[in-house]
Amino acid sequence: MRRKSVLFVLSAGMMVTVLFHARSAMATDPVGFTSTTIAKGQFDEFEVFNRFILPGTAPDWVKRNIWRSRQKIKGLSDGYVLSNVWQPGGTTGWHTHLSHTLIIVTAGTVTQYQAHDPTCTPAVYTAGMTFVDLGGEHVHIVRNEGTVEAQVIAIRLIPAGQPGRIDAPDPGNCHF
């Protein structure tokens, strides 16, 4: 009986210590950022593969001069076209998505930082530039560090009925 009491007291003491010292992992909220759905639709599963041989390429150059695109989806998917807008100083907060997103910058400048990058190296995109947000385990933040409004169009497919955005805690690698 005494042994059980000692184990109980030790366990309770460890739990209190852990709870006292543990910090909650809080998501970082968007500020000065809005995302508006322009179009949404549902896709059945599909598999597509396209290729295009660049004009004027000799046959021995074909392998290096071929454009390829492939996507395979199992199960239903929700497709989105989004208009994202950042006010000067605006931020998405740290987050990820269940799949990749194609981004086209239409106005201003956005700067993306990756949670896994210990040096917090900025990737800067201006109007007319594009990039792919990898989604999945790639937590990131996108900010408008300029003085004018920034806008992008985002195109995304995610599993049907699932959230388009998953908030994440500040990874602590960027000091802003």
Side-chain angles (χ1 to χ4, degrees):
M1 179 74 170
R2 179 178 162 101
R3 186 176 187 184
K4 286 183 180 179
S5 295
V6 169
L7 286 174
F8 174 77
V9 169
L10 285 174
S11 296
M14 287 178 14
M15 286 178 63
V16 167
T17 300
V18 167
L19 290 173
F20 180 75
H21 291 289
R23 291 186 305 166
S24 60
M26 300 298 291
T28 55
D29 293 327
V31 175
F33 170 78
T34 57
S35 183
T36 304
T37 300
I38 296 173
K40 177 184 176 189
Q42 196 164 77
F43 292 86
D44 202 352
E45 54 187 52
F46 65 86
E47 182 174 357
V48 294
F49 173 72
N50 298 291
R51 67 180 179 186
F52 175 74
I53 299 172
L54 299 173
T57 57
D60 60 336
W61 294 86
V62 169
K63 288 185 180 179
R64 288 190 296 211
N65 293 302
I66 192 167
W67 176 90
R68 294 181 180 103
S69 174
R70 177 184 310 240
Q71 183 144 20
K72 180 178 182 178
I73 303 294
K74 285 191 70 89
L76 295 176
S77 298
D78 289 335
Y80 291 88
V81 177
L82 306 165
S83 172
N84 295 339
V85 178
W86 291 257
Q87 296 307 313
T91 175
T92 60
W94 291 97
H95 69 284
T96 190
H97 312 280
L98 292 174
S99 71
H100 63 283
T101 304
L102 305 176
I103 310 288
I104 303 166
V105 182
T106 58
T109 301
V110 294
T111 305
Q112 183 180 43
Y113 298 90
Q114 302 292 332
H116 68 273
D117 178 6
T119 63
C120 191
T121 304
V124 179
Y125 304 97
T126 59
M129 295 177 77
T130 62
F131 63 100
V132 177
D133 170 352
L134 299 176
E137 296 175 4
H138 296 274
V139 172
H140 65 282
I141 192 169
V142 183
R143 299 163 41 98
N144 178 355
E145 298 175 345
T147 58
V148 299
E149 184 177 271
Q151 300 174 14
V152 307
I153 297 295
I155 303 165
R156 175 183 311 136
L157 279 177
I158 59 172
Q162 297 303 307
R165 172 190 166 103
I166 301 166
D167 291 333
D170 183 340
N173 63 320
C174 298
H175 303 288
F176 41 69

